[in-house]
Every structure is written in structure tokens, then in C-alpha cells.
Amino acid sequence: KFWTLHRKNTLTSGESSSLFYHFLKFCPNFLLLLEKMAAARGRDAVVKVVRAVEGASCRCPAHSAGFTHATQKRCQGTETTETEYAVEMATSTIRYGMGVTQEVGMDFQNMGAKKVCLMTDKTVAQLPPMQTVLEAMTKAGINYEVYDNVRVEPTDSSFNDAIDFAKKGNFDAYLAVGGGSVMDTCKAANLFSAHPDAELLDFVYPPIGKGHPVTNQLKPLIAVPTTSGTGSETTGVAVFDYEPLKAKIGIGQRAIRPTMGLVDPIHCKYMPERVTANSGFDVLCHALESYTAIPYQERRPRPPNPIQRPAYQGSNPISDVWSLHALRIINKYMKRAVRDAEDMEARSNMHLASTFAGIGFGNAGVHLCHGMSYPISGLVKKFKSKDYSQDHPLVPHGLSVVVSAPAVFQFTAPMCPERHLEAAEILGFDTRNAKREDAGPILADLLRKFVKDLDVDDGLQALGYSTEDIPALVKGTLPQHRVTKLAPRPQTEEDLSRLFEASMTIY
């Protein structure tokens, strides 16, 4: 009836837009109809319906909602917002090879660095990778100061502590030796040393932060990753737990990406089994989410100036290459890498897969698994993971991401079933007789088996959460616009509640 009235112009534009939004939000059958259309006639059919409604509808704040990424018309007298038409690739210089860490002193020498800020954490500080770095710096005659107080899963407090250290040191270059927590902390220290009057939220994504652009030149930063997960050596992203909201938030600016990443597989053999597994799950979700994100040309609004183009741009032909190849490596090597620390072929390839997926998602973005993971980490109660620091409760990032993956990809599959099926095929499923409408269950079941084979904690309940925590988990997800808006399927609060509920147990 709604569609008939709309086509006959019986409804005003405002009524049309408002009704469509409320049907989408509150009527399960209406959403089911869209899902069936996607399964039977393809994603384009659904997009066509949404665009047709939007094209004749007012998009003033009273009627607007984030249920489409298509071109929209605004109220009369306001500027037209257009969809994106370009994608911009940015990544760090990457040097890969067994033993490349020993070159880091010469790199700073070649840069003319006089005083380097070397950041790491308490664990890595005692491991051979750090010893190699110190020897290389000393041999090259580079003056440096060590900051080893980086917190695993950093917070706003730990960021500020590192930033204060950097501001006082008057450094002309930075070196991060460790996992994603170390690299992200070092990026933040570099950023705020170059903007000494800025506040922590100034560069954080809206709506929590102000999203200011970087205006000052940063110092060179070299990253030496010692885990195989975050890909932070390639990206302009730094994530931390914002304690007032008990949720992770992020800074996303191309300017903060490392000048160079030294990807040295020799460091992989020092990763404990659970660190290897959880790091690998982060790679898995980086690849899957970036490949299934909305196409870049559907993202809006198009920035008025190229400098405002976000780091996370949506799936695109270049990122697709990196993400798909990372999935192939995961399928072949991840289980071997977790089960055998001496399998250097497997661990070396996973180290490289982390970088590949980092290049992919660093330009395409991630979506719901990561958006939902931030409150899972931020609201942690008493959970502590084997092989990690036991001095504070901690849900490792890769674990917080993968725990919702089966539910998420079952939810998103109707919007781009071909991509979900392709991912399932790469991960080992025979899709020759698979139907498009089965894409979600196929990929979800495959992921359940994958994580079960690697002894992952069985869902949110195993991490200390119950259904009573779902409202708080949803509340922590809602502000994560930088990633949730890249999901191929828009989501309401009710959708998020169902996804968290479905993730209470995995198996």
C-alpha cells in the first residue's frame, strides 16, 4: 500500500520519506521483503527501490535516517550531496624480509635523525626483537630514549601518558617496536607532539570527537611489528579505549601512518599461541570486512576537497586484491601458525598477510565486527586471556572482533551474496552448488568451524557478558559511525541487539 500510494503521488515527499524510514525500522516484514528482493533479484533491486523513494523524498533531519548510501536530495534551498566517484590509496613504505630489523639504525641515520623516541611495551622490551633494535641503533650512533610503558589495549589515559613523554623529549623521529597497541600509541605521540595545543578528542572521528584535519607536519615514524594482526604498520589509524564511554574510539588520518614498516618474520616465533590466534582473527576480519564493505562509489557525501577524503572509503578494486590474497594465506597457513611456533613458513606468511590485509582495510575500511568489538573490549569486567598481561582485565582485540563474525556475516550477506560466497570459497567451502540466499549461513557456519578448531572462547558469555549487558553493548556501538556506516546493510538498534544476542554463544 505504501509503494502504491507513493507511486501515485498520494503521499507528500515528507510523508513518503518518513513512512519508509519507520517501515524499515519497525516492521520486520518490510525488512524481510527487502532481503527477499536481494536474494531473488540482486542487491541492485533493493538499491533501486531505496533510490526511487529517496529521489522523491525530503531529507530534512526530521525524516532522515542512515538506511542507504545512495545519492540523496536535501530540502529545498540546501546543497545537493553527491556520492563518491574516486578512491585514493595510501600506505606506508614496506620493507619485508628475514632480518630487516637490523637495518633500522641506518634508516634513521639516512633520515638525519638526532634524537629518536623508541616506544614499546613491558613484554616486548624483554624479547629478542627489542635487543636487535637497540643493537642496530647503537651501531648506527643514533641517540634514542625508550618509553616502555605502553598499555596493551591502550586507553585515553595511557595515550596521554605517552604523549606527555613525547612532548617533553623534543624528538625528531619515532620508532615503534611491538604490536598494534605500541604502533597506535606511537602514532598518537607523534601526532600530538606536532600539535602541542590540541586535545585528545580533536582528531578523533565524530560524533565522539571533533574530526579536525592534521595541519602540522609530523616527524618520521618507523614501525617494527612483532605480532601478525593489526596491520598498523600500514595504516593511518590509532585506536584506544575511551574510558568515560567505556568503548574504543579511533583517530583516522593519513598523516599519522608510519613512514616505513619493517616487516621481519623472525619476530613471529616469539608470539605465544593465543596471541598468534587472536592476531590472526584480526587479519581474518580485516580482510572479510573490507571486502564486503559498501562499494566506495556508494559512500556519501563526496568530500568538497580531496584532503577531506576519509581513510576508510569502502570496498574498491585495489583494496580487494590485498584483502582476497590475505584470505588465501589465512586459509593455507593460519591454523599451522597457531599450532606450531616453529613453523616459520606459516608464521612468516601470516606476518605478511597482516600487512596485506592492513593495506586492504586501511583504504577500504572495516564495518560491524569492528564496530561491535569496541564496546566488547571497553566494557570488559573480569575476563583475562591466556598469554596476555594479567595485571588488568582484557579482551584481546582479535577475540573481541571474531566473536561476532558469524552473526555479522549472516546479517550482511543478503546485500552482496556473491562476495560472501567468494570469501567462503577462498576459505575452503565448495560453492559450486551454493545458492545466493544461502551465502550468509554458509559463511557463518564456516567461521564457526574455523574458530572452534582454534579453541576460541565460546561467545560473549564466555567473556563474562549476559543478555542484560546487550543495551550497554549496543549503546557503545552506536557512535562508531566511521565503521558501522561502511556495512553493506544498514542496522537499527534492534538489529544490533539481535546480533549481540546471537553472539552470546558461537557453537
Side-chain angles (χ1 to χ4, degrees), residues 2-3 6 11-27 30-31 33-34 37 45-59 63-70 300 415 490 492:
F2 157 72
W3 184 244
H6 173 77
L11 301 174
T12 67
S13 62
E15 290 169 338
S16 175
S17 178
S18 182
L19 276 172
F20 185 83
Y21 166 59
H22 287 292
F23 282 158
L24 187 66
K25 184 171 183 180
F26 297 114
C27 179
F30 190 69
L31 191 57
L33 172 63
L34 294 183
M37 287 181 66
V46 176
V47 172
K48 225 178 253 187
V49 172
V50 177
R51 279 183 174 162
V53 174
E54 272 205 321
S57 300
C58 167
R59 293 293 289 170
H63 304 131
S64 63
F67 57 78
T68 176
H69 307 280
R300 68 164 186 248
M415 302 309 286
T492 64

Side-chain angles (χ1 to χ4, degrees), residues 167 174 189-197 214 216-219:
K167 286 180 177 178
Y174 289 81
N190 191 11
L191 171 64
F192 287 94
S193 294
H195 299 80
D197 297 326
V214 175
N216 298 339
Q217 183 70 38
L218 274 63
K219 305 298 184 184

Side-chain angles (χ1 to χ4, degrees), residues 190-213:
N190 191 11
L191 171 64
F192 287 94
S193 294
H195 299 80
D197 297 326
E199 297 180 353
L200 188 60
L201 294 182
D202 283 355
F203 300 105
V204 169
Y205 287 108
I208 297 172
K210 299 176 182 177
H212 289 172

Side-chain angles (χ1 to χ4, degrees), residues 384-413:
K384 295 180 181 180
S385 183
K386 178 187 173 186
D387 295 335
Y388 288 81
S389 171
Q390 300 296 302
D391 62 357
H392 60 273
L394 170 70
V395 179
H397 175 63
L399 177 58
S400 71
V401 169
V402 81
V403 76
S404 69
V408 163
F409 290 108
Q410 183 150 341
F411 174 77
T412 58

Side-chain angles (χ1 to χ4, degrees), residues 74-93:
R74 296 200 172 203
C75 298
Q76 188 173 7
T78 61
E79 185 180 345
T80 299
T81 304
E82 297 178 297
T83 50
E84 182 61 276
Y85 67 93
V87 63
E88 180 175 332
M89 291 298 294
T91 190
S92 309
T93 297

